[in-house]
Amino acid sequence: MSPVTGGGSERSPLLPGGGGSAHNNGALRSNNPFGVDPEQLTDMLDPKDPEKLLDLGGPDQICKALLVDPKVGLKQREQVGSGGDHHAEPFQARREVFGRNTLPEAHAVTFLQLLIAAYNDRTLSK
């Protein structure tokens, strides 16, 4: 599926757990101490939608909702929890709501696969 339609694997890395909908996960939403959830941010970015940015209040309001200082970024030893409780580990609340900040591992292509692809490519043959 295309990323424009909102389905398919293109969106998966943007959501916690590699996919799904934050709106359908009640536990995720109830434990979210932030003013926005991953699904709202994904909807704004995939595909890019300036109207959704404005619906969320613009960049300054999003930073405020995410408890981020736009000039400095995240605090080094952040201790945010739902309902004002503090976590022992920094950024634990962010990981619970938004997932880890990692990209999925890229599929490695072997030299043999590249060689076969080049052999079968008609633009390279005479």
Side-chain angles (χ1 to χ4, degrees), residues 44-96:
M44 179 182 66
L45 295 173
D46 186 22
K48 289 182 184 177
D49 188 351
E51 289 298 318
K52 292 206 179 174
L53 174 65
L54 296 176
D55 289 346
L56 292 173
D60 291 332
Q61 194 63 29
I62 292 173
C63 287
K64 187 176 181 181
L66 292 172
L67 307 175
V68 173
D69 181 348
K71 294 179 183 170
V72 178
L74 296 173
K75 295 176 185 155
Q76 190 173 13
R77 297 289 298 169
E78 177 179 76
Q79 303 282 328
V80 177
S82 58
D85 61 338
H86 294 290
H87 290 291
E89 185 181 338
F91 308 108
Q92 182 177 345
R94 287 189 194 278
R95 282 190 205 105
E96 289 171 2

Side-chain angles (χ1 to χ4, degrees), residues 5-29:
T5 61
S9 62
E10 290 84 0
R11 294 184 78 176
S12 298
L14 301 176
L15 298 174
S21 172
H23 290 298
N24 296 333
N25 188 343
L28 178 67
R29 291 184 62 98

